[in-house]
């Protein structure tokens, strides 16, 4: 199945699933139609007489608009839509108010197109009423009279501030026709009007050939729709209008020899893609990633972290769902249950599609990544990622909107894989170049869906950043980057050695780097504890010297230990066990491993993180015991 076949099939599924369509504010436009944002709605009676005008809010602005083959791809040429368009086309009196713009030719062509449809025997009466109103040439005057446009020295929009046209002449108007009984005919959502125009449009298209998508003979088009990512997007996926360049010259005589796509197939595919991008696309600059199930079922995406895929219940409720699992077996069971839940809902004969779109130029859109999977194959790859790129995290921030409109935020702890976005930021920082970020995004998606190894660069970059704590402005940023780096290291070790490190402290692990990491956690905890008790906010020496410690662990440890002695003397009697246990861990490092002073492997961070988490647990338990005794 090609990408355009998959989108045509998706369109048919969406068209018959009104519940799915309600999820997105972007309407699914039928063939011969496009989508634009309208700013005002004019109410007419059945004789084409003005009743009233109202401004449209941003939420109701998107409007399905009948279009021609030329208007669907227009940029600056004279190509009006049918029925709904901006004032440059529909206002016969625009030149009276905007002296510098001569829109007479635009208005004439708009009226001519609408007149041709009105002369068709199947044209709805409501369209004829709109044409009668347009021919009066008073649209601009009526908008001023209604108060939506203020006739100041420079014309000013007086409608919804969040749905404001870029220029007054670009104000898009749609229509609604009411009969004598007060029944309203909402033209932009009426299926009778849409079907009537589709039938009319098919009759007016002369060029017919074999559609390479459907395999049938039908009206074809070489002018394919735009507005794929936004209503202002002018980039096209399919184009063959460069007859003087090297688009096809040297291989074919003309564009007809290359391909032919039926206009109906093209419109359906582009409409489905537009809806998918709006509903579930993720954009970084001019790159857009979209993942979907052809049958319309919900599917986890490679962009999500484990909490978004597995968590259930209300995180703001009294009984928030458990999200931290210290047992690897318990966590693996959770992921398996979540994945099996998706498998149960999706038929085996369905397809999962991943597509990455990117603008080569402002007018051209390319597919830089495309994969099709069976549901089971895709979900198994998702499961592998979320059970191998795993660690305990405390940085997740979720939100909900309260009844008064305010936003409530809450930090969530979870076990699992971080999002792709968070991995990139952990390795390259938040100031990563946009072009580089798009490339990194594609690499990580391929790691998940194609089963490729975690690149060593990600591990080295993220390890280098967390080994230099002074580069972080806030403690939570360092904590977040540390847990994400542990996930990356764990994934790299799995990919290269076929094993995962435990997220819990493994006292039986005698790996040199792991043990040195544990020692660093003890040193940091001792100093941090004393500084906290004395109200001092300085960072511990173990943090300041972490970068050197990673490169020359034995030599730096002696420096840390010397600086630590004054803090050990200040430890309360109930906390002296910290230093004693630190010495026990040091004793577990063999003499050869200690004295060679070579740089530590990435596993040192896993040892550090596990020991730090264990120490925090012990302190919490001791504090609870102390409070109980005092009470």
């Amino acid at each position: 199945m090609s990408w355009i076949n998959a989108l045509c099939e998706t369109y048919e599924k969406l068209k018959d699933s009104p519940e799915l369509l309600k999820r997105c504010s972007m309407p699914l436009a039928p063939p011969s139609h496009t989508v634009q944002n309208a700013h005002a709605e004019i109410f007419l009676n059945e004789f084409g007489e003005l009743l009233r005008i109202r401004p449209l809010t941003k939420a109701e602005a998107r409007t399905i608009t009948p279009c021609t083959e030329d208007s669907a791809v227009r940029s600056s040429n004279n190509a009006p839509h049918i029925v709904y368009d901006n004032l440059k086309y529909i206002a016969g009196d625009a030149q009276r108010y905007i002296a510098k713009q001569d829109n007479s030719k635009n208005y004439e062509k708009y009226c001519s197109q609408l007149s041709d449809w009105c002369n068709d025997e199947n044209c709805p009466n409501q369209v004829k009423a709109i044409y009668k109103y347009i021919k009066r040439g008073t649209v601009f005057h009526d908008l001023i009279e209604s108060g939506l446009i203020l006739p100041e020295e420079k014309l000013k929009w007086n409608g919804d501030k969040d749905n404001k046209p870029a220029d007054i002449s670009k104000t898009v108007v749609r229509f609604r026709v009411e009969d004598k009984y007060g029944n309203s005919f909402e033209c932009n959502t009426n299926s009778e009007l849409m079907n009537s125009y589709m039938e009319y449009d098919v009759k007016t298209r002369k060029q017919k050939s074999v559609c390479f998508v459907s395999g049938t003979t039908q009206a074809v088009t070489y002018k394919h729709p735009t507005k794929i990512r936004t209503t202002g997007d002018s980039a096209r996926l399919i184009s063959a209008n460069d007859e003087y360049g090297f688009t096809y010259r040297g291989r074919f005589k003309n564009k007809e020899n290359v391909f032919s796509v039926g206009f109906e197939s093209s419109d359906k595919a582009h409409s489905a893609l537009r809806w998918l991008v709006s509903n579930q696309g993720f954009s970084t600059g001019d790159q857009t990633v979209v993942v979907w199930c052809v049958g319309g079922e919900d599917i986890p995406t490679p962009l999500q972290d484990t909490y978004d895929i597995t968590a259930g219940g209300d995180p703001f409720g009294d009984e928030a769902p458990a999200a931290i699992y210290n047992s690897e077996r318990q966590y693996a069971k959770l992921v398996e249950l979540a994945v099996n839940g998706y498998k149960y809902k999706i038929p085996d004969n369905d397809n999962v599609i991943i597509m990455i779109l990117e603008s080569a130029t402002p007018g051209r859109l390319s597919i830089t990544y495309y994969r099709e999977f069976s549901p089971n194959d895709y979900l198994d790859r998702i499961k592998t990622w979320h059970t191998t790129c795993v660690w305990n995290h405390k940085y997740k921030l979720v939100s909900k909107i309260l009844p008064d409109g305010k936003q409530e935020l809450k930090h969530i702890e979870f076990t699992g894989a971080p999002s792709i976005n968070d991995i990139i930021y952990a390795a390259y920082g938040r100031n990563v170049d946009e072009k580089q970020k798009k490339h990194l995004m594609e690499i990580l998606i391929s790691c998940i869906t194609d089963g490729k190894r975690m690149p060593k660069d990600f591990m080295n970059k993220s390890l280098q950043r967390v080994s230099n704590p002074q580069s972080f402005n806030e403690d939570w940023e360092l904590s977040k980057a540390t847990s994400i780096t542990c996930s990356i290291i764990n994934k790299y070790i799995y990919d290269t050695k076929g094993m995962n490190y435990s997220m819990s402290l493994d006292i039986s692990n005698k790996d040199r780097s792991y043990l040195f990491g544990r020692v660093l956690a003890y040193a940091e905890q001792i100093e941090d504890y004393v500084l906290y008790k004395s109200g001092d906010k300085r960072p511990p020496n173990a943090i300041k010297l972490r970068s050197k410690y990673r490169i020359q662990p034995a030599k730096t440890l002696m420096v840390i230990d010397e600086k630590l002695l004054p803090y050990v003397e200040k430890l309360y009697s109930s906390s002296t066990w910290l230093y004693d246990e630190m010495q026990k861990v040091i004793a577990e490092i063999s003499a050869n491993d200690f004295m060679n002073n070579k740089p530590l492997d990435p596993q040192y961070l896993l040892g550090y993180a596990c020991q730090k988490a264990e120490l925090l647990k012990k302190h919490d338990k001791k504090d609870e015991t102390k409070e109980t005794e005092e009470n």
Side-chain angles (χ1 to χ4, degrees):
M1 182 185 290
S2 71
W3 66 269
I4 197 165
N5 283 110
L7 287 168
C8 285
E9 188 176 333
T10 303
Y11 174 88
E12 297 298 338
K13 296 284 186 182
L14 289 171
K15 184 185 69 173
D16 299 329
S17 306
E19 289 303 314
L20 279 176
L21 294 177
K22 286 179 182 177
R23 297 180 185 176
C24 181
S25 61
M26 173 64 73
L28 184 72
S32 305
H33 291 73
T34 188
V35 177
Q36 61 180 342
N37 290 334
H39 306 97
E41 188 168 48
I42 295 179
F43 289 74
L44 307 172
N45 63 20
E46 53 195 330
F47 304 106
E49 296 168 340
L50 177 67
L51 297 177
R52 61 190 178 278
I53 302 177
R54 76 176 183 97
L56 295 171
T57 64
K58 189 176 182 179
E60 57 187 351
R62 280 176 173 161
T63 302
I64 298 176
T65 303
C67 63
T68 67
E69 187 176 23
D70 289 328
S71 73
V73 297
R74 74 184 184 194
S75 51
S76 58
N77 54 325
N78 183 9
H81 293 316
I82 304 291
V83 188
Y84 322 125
D85 216 324
N86 61 54
L87 296 180
K88 185 171 74 171
Y89 292 102
I90 70 171
D93 56 343
Q95 199 169 353
R96 289 171 51 192
Y97 301 94
I98 309 176
K100 294 181 181 179
Q101 292 189 13
D102 180 7
N103 74 319
S104 56
K105 290 182 180 180
N106 303 86
Y107 176 67
E108 286 171 10
K109 190 168 183 179
Y110 171 83
C111 289
S112 175
Q113 287 182 174
L114 193 54
S115 174
D116 289 343
W117 184 21
C118 289
N119 291 330
D120 185 76
E121 59 183 357
N122 297 320
C123 180
N125 290 328
Q126 290 82 2
V127 175
K128 295 176 182 179
I130 294 170
Y131 177 66
K132 288 177 183 177
Y133 170 71
I134 291 294
K135 284 298 288 181
R136 293 192 178 98
T138 62
V139 175
F140 215 114
H141 171 267
D142 293 339
L143 286 168
I144 290 175
E145 286 295 307
S146 70
L148 281 186
I149 296 177
L150 300 178
E152 299 176 357
E153 184 177 342
K154 186 176 181 181
L155 295 170
K156 186 178 179 182
W157 175 251
N158 194 36
D160 191 300
K161 293 180 181 178
D162 294 326
N163 187 31
K164 183 180 178 181
D167 182 82
I168 288 296
S169 66
K170 294 182 180 178
T171 302
V172 176
V173 176
R174 72 187 190 201
F175 299 92
R176 190 182 292 215
V177 179
E178 294 182 355
D179 62 20
K180 60 183 178 181
Y181 303 107
N183 298 317
S184 181
F185 184 90
E186 195 171 351
C187 301
N188 67 296
T189 59
N190 188 274
S191 58
E192 180 188 342
L193 186 147
M194 293 178 189
N195 291 332
S196 170
Y197 181 70
M198 281 190 283
E199 292 172 7
Y200 168 75
D201 191 35
V202 170
K203 287 189 288 186
T204 60
R205 292 180 185 255
K206 306 299 182 185
Q207 189 175 11
K208 297 190 186 306
S209 185
V210 175
C211 171
F212 282 23
V213 179
S214 65
T216 61
T217 300
Q218 58 175 271
V220 296
T221 183
Y222 292 93
K223 297 177 180 179
H224 297 274
T226 56
K227 301 181 181 178
I228 293 171
R229 295 168 297 179
T230 66
T231 53
D233 187 10
S234 61
R236 303 180 211 174
L237 262 176
I238 307 174
S239 176
N241 64 349
D242 183 10
E243 297 185 1
Y244 303 100
F246 295 92
T247 305
Y248 50 79
R249 290 176 68 196
R251 289 174 292 174
F252 303 98
K253 186 177 180 180
N254 53 48
K255 62 189 175 188
E256 286 79 9
N257 296 146
V258 183
F259 70 95
S260 60
V261 178
F263 91 91
E264 190 173 332
S265 298
S266 176
D267 281 5
K268 286 180 178 179
H270 285 85
S271 182
L273 184 56
R274 185 186 299 123
W275 187 90
L276 289 166
V277 167
S278 179
N279 183 54
Q280 57 212 57
F282 177 85
S283 295
T284 301
D286 57 7
Q287 181 193 65
T288 299
V289 180
V290 61
V291 182
W292 79 95
C293 190
V294 173
E297 296 291 345
D298 285 333
I299 194 82
T301 77
L303 305 172
Q304 294 173 295
D305 60 37
T306 306
Y307 181 85
D308 290 336
I309 291 175
T310 61
D314 179 13
F316 293 89
D318 294 331
E319 297 182 4
I324 284 284
Y325 298 89
N326 288 318
S327 163
E328 280 74 15
R329 185 175 296 177
Q330 185 185 19
Y331 167 72
K333 187 69 175 175
L334 168 79
V335 176
E336 186 174 0
L337 286 172
V339 168
N340 287 342
Y342 286 108
K343 286 183 177 180
Y344 178 77
K345 295 176 184 177
I346 304 172
D348 292 339
N349 61 349
D350 211 333
N351 274 318
V352 177
I353 313 289
I354 301 177
M355 181 186 287
I356 301 180
L357 305 168
E358 189 172 344
S359 294
T361 66
R364 297 291 180 269
L365 195 62
S366 60
I367 299 174
T368 59
Y369 183 92
Y370 182 81
R371 297 288 187 277
E372 291 184 13
F373 302 92
S374 68
N376 284 349
D377 186 22
Y378 173 76
L379 289 168
D380 284 342
R381 295 178 189 213
I382 290 291
K383 182 174 79 172
T384 299
W385 172 262
H386 286 275
T387 51
T388 55
C389 186
V390 58
W391 206 256
N392 291 326
H393 306 284
K394 298 183 179 182
Y395 61 80
K396 182 78 173 177
L397 192 65
V398 293
S399 64
K400 75 171 182 178
I401 303 299
L402 301 174
D404 59 2
K406 293 181 179 179
Q407 189 180 43
E408 182 180 353
L409 300 174
K410 184 177 181 179
H411 271 99
I412 296 293
E413 297 182 7
F414 75 98
T415 299
S419 70
I420 284 180
N421 227 25
D422 285 332
I423 290 176
I424 292 172
Y425 288 147
Y428 292 86
R430 289 201 165 266
N431 295 324
V432 59
D433 178 71
E434 187 178 286
K435 186 176 180 180
Q436 185 183 20
K437 185 182 177 184
K438 291 186 292 186
H439 175 64
L440 298 171
M441 186 87 67
E442 199 167 317
I443 289 174
L444 287 174
I445 288 174
S446 186
C447 286
I448 300 170
T449 58
D450 298 331
K452 292 183 178 179
R453 285 185 176 185
M454 171 68 75
K456 196 173 184 178
D457 281 353
F458 277 94
M459 181 179 69
N460 289 339
K461 287 280 188 182
S462 57
L463 190 63
Q464 185 178 358
R465 288 191 75 233
V466 298
S467 296
N468 185 24
Q470 290 93 330
S471 63
F472 295 88
N473 295 323
E474 301 288 344
D475 289 343
W476 68 266
E477 290 179 332
L478 175 60
S479 174
K480 177 179 179 177
T482 300
S483 66
I484 292 172
T485 302
C486 288
S487 287
I488 297 171
I489 294 170
N490 220 0
K491 174 63 178 169
Y492 183 80
I493 292 172
Y494 175 84
D495 289 344
T496 54
K497 299 181 180 179
M499 60 172 284
N500 265 134
Y501 267 72
S502 173
M503 293 176 285
S504 302
L505 180 63
D506 182 6
I507 58 174
S508 65
N509 190 335
K510 305 304 179 185
D511 178 84
R512 170 181 178 269
S513 297
Y514 191 85
L515 290 172
F516 266 111
R518 288 182 59 192
V519 173
L520 183 66
Y522 273 109
E524 183 181 313
Q525 186 67 15
I526 291 169
E527 192 172 348
D528 199 37
Y529 181 72
V530 174
L531 290 171
Y532 171 75
K533 287 292 184 181
S534 62
D536 196 330
K537 296 183 179 180
R538 284 180 299 158
N541 287 300
I543 286 183
K544 294 177 184 177
L545 296 171
R546 190 188 293 184
S547 180
K548 289 184 178 180
Y549 185 84
R550 180 191 164 207
I551 298 169
Q552 295 181 312
K555 183 177 179 181
T556 310
L557 178 57
M558 288 188 283
V559 176
I560 291 175
D561 194 46
E562 184 180 343
K563 291 178 177 291
L564 200 61
L565 291 177
Y567 295 94
V568 174
E569 293 173 1
K570 295 179 182 178
L571 280 176
Y572 293 92
S573 57
S574 60
S575 300
T576 52
W577 59 271
L578 279 169
Y579 189 71
D580 295 337
E581 287 196 5
M582 173 182 161
Q583 296 303 317
K584 289 178 183 177
V585 176
I586 293 174
E588 291 182 33
I589 304 173
S590 69
N592 288 336
D593 283 343
F594 193 89
M595 297 307 295
N596 65 26
N597 205 31
K598 68 178 182 179
L600 297 175
D601 294 332
Q603 289 92 314
Y604 99 88
L605 193 69
L606 304 184
Y608 164 82
C610 289
Q611 186 65 71
K612 188 78 182 287
E614 189 67 23
L615 290 173
L616 289 174
K617 271 191 217 172
K618 286 183 179 180
H619 265 299
D620 289 342
K621 286 180 182 178
K622 288 180 182 291
D623 288 341
E624 286 177 12
T625 304
K626 188 176 179 181
E627 285 181 14
T628 305
E629 290 173 353
E630 288 176 354
N631 292 333

